[in-house]
Amino acid sequence: MSAINKIRKQAAANIKTIVLPEYEDERTIEAEKIIRKEGLANPLVLTPDAIDKNQKERYIEEYFNLYKSKDIDLDTVKKLFSDNLYYGAMLTREGKADGLVAGASHTTADVARACIRCIGLDERFTIASSCFIMEVPNCSYGDEGTFIFADCGVIPDPNARQLSCIAFTAAELAGKVLQLTPRVAFLSYSTKGSAKTRAAEKIAEALALLKTLSPDILADGELQGDAAIVPEVAQIKCPESPINGAANVLIFPNLEAGNITYKLVQRLSGCRALGPLFLGLNKPASDLSRGCFAEDIVDCVAVTAIRAQ
């Protein structure tokens, strides 16, 4: 059974309510039909009839009170809430929905901003980041071609602490959603000090910080891509590595590397790329590529539902 099929099966075993703000997008409506037919979740599509005007007014007031110290005025907040994205994020914040999926007709920045401001940040990390579930066909690396790539959507140039938080939350997702034992590789152009630069030193710092967050996690860095996922190369370049060239959670040094790599792998291999899945929020939320298909929305809803369990 493929990773995607396992995800759908797991979501169907414990139905959660996932809000879909983009009711005007035909892909959202098509996805809703599939989700209901397969019993994967309770999709809450925010059509005009689904908006409670009194509740919306309360959310506007609550949001204004949260951020009025930042010199935001009430008219600006009302304009924000003319977009259902903010209403859906507040529903999730309040627990009236278990999670949110959007991005078919919004940019990642728009979705991330609404989720960070409304759903809020997990106080353990105080940063939001993202990851992709990558299912590469006919691939023996990772877990039979299944990987987590992070961060590919949010933080442009993470510092060592941020990289450690990205790794921790991505590993958590690998365990909960994919039921995999995470094997984390911090990627670089250097393997174990083969290049003496500040960029490589940052990766070593991130690994040390991750070990502080979670001493038992299986992780290594800094590693070049081949040393991270190819056992034969790992035996040559880093024979003492605890992951032995079998990484399934790949942590990129910056957003450029992560975003470029996931898109190239997706297009060159024909793999499924689910995400960006936001990490570090108080409640689960997922972004979508604006070029997504209805099936991508379905699968992101399933992932978000599992994370809410």
Side-chain angles (χ1 to χ4, degrees):
M1 186 183 293
S2 72
I4 303 299
N5 288 338
K6 289 178 182 176
I7 286 168
R8 290 194 181 194
K9 184 176 180 181
Q10 190 177 343
N14 191 347
I15 300 298
K16 295 293 181 181
T17 297
I18 307 299
V19 64
L20 297 167
E22 296 163 324
Y23 76 96
E24 293 180 310
D25 194 296
E26 292 180 0
R27 294 166 294 179
T28 297
I29 304 307
E30 185 181 347
E32 178 194 17
K33 292 175 182 176
I34 297 169
I35 293 162
R36 291 194 185 280
K37 182 179 179 181
E38 296 192 15
L40 303 178
N42 174 31
L44 178 55
V45 178
L46 293 183
T47 62
D49 291 341
I51 304 293
D52 183 319
K53 292 182 180 179
N54 292 329
Q55 183 169 260
K56 182 175 180 177
E57 288 300 317
R58 178 167 61 82
Y59 285 163
I60 289 170
E61 183 178 352
E62 184 177 344
Y63 186 96
F64 173 69
N65 289 330
L66 279 171
Y67 293 105
K68 62 183 178 182
S69 63
K70 299 185 184 298
D71 296 326
I72 192 169
D73 60 68
L74 193 56
D75 285 340
T76 300
V77 176
K78 287 179 179 179
K79 287 178 182 176
L80 287 177
F81 277 80
S82 65
D83 187 334
N84 285 348
L85 184 57
Y86 279 78
Y87 182 84
M90 290 297 283
L91 279 174
T92 307
R93 174 191 179 92
E94 193 175 35
K96 292 185 181 297
D98 299 302
L100 177 146
V101 174
S105 54
H106 289 83
T107 67
T108 293
D110 287 338
V111 181
R113 190 178 299 112
C115 289
I116 291 168
R117 290 178 178 175
C118 297
I119 297 173
L121 296 172
D122 186 325
E123 63 182 12
R124 294 178 297 168
F125 310 112
T126 65
I127 65 160
S129 59
S130 70
C131 71
F132 280 83
I133 294 174
M134 307 289 287
E135 188 175 49
V136 184
N138 305 312
C139 177
S140 60
Y141 303 127
D143 268 271
E144 297 180 349
T146 300
F147 294 90
I148 300 289
F149 283 14
D151 174 13
C152 304
V154 178
I155 304 177
D157 188 20
N159 59 32
R161 178 189 171 275
Q162 289 170 328
L163 281 173
S164 70
C165 293
I166 292 166
F168 183 89
T169 50
E172 268 192 337
L173 186 143
K176 183 162 189 174
V177 175
L178 298 173
Q179 299 179 323
L180 298 177
T181 299
R183 300 183 296 274
V184 179
F186 289 93
L187 300 181
S188 175
Y189 59 83
S190 169
T191 295
K192 291 298 186 179
S194 61
K196 303 292 186 182
T197 65
R198 176 61 193 134
E201 290 172 3
K202 180 178 76 169
I203 304 301
E205 290 174 21
L207 176 64
L209 289 168
L210 176 62
K211 290 295 187 180
T212 301
L213 277 172
S214 181
D216 297 328
I217 199 164
L218 197 59
D220 202 10
E222 80 277 12
L223 297 174
Q224 291 167 288
D226 55 358
I229 68 168
V230 183
E232 295 81 4
V233 175
Q235 280 299 309
I236 297 169
K237 292 186 175 182
C238 49
E240 303 301 319
S241 175
I243 59 175
N244 298 314
N248 54 15
V249 179
L250 304 183
I251 307 302
F252 294 89
N254 55 46
L255 190 57
E256 282 185 319
N259 194 271
I260 290 168
T261 301
Y262 109 76
K263 287 182 181 292
L264 284 175
V265 172
Q266 180 186 28
R267 298 302 178 184
L268 293 176
S269 73
C271 89
R272 288 294 307 281
L274 297 186
L277 312 171
F278 291 127
L279 304 171
L281 299 176
N282 284 325
K283 300 282 182 70
S286 300
D287 187 24
L288 299 160
S289 166
R290 280 173 288 169
C292 70
F293 297 102
E295 290 287 342
D296 297 319
I297 301 174
V298 172
D299 291 329
C300 276
V301 165
V303 170
T304 306
I306 293 169
R307 296 178 69 195
Q309 292 174 5

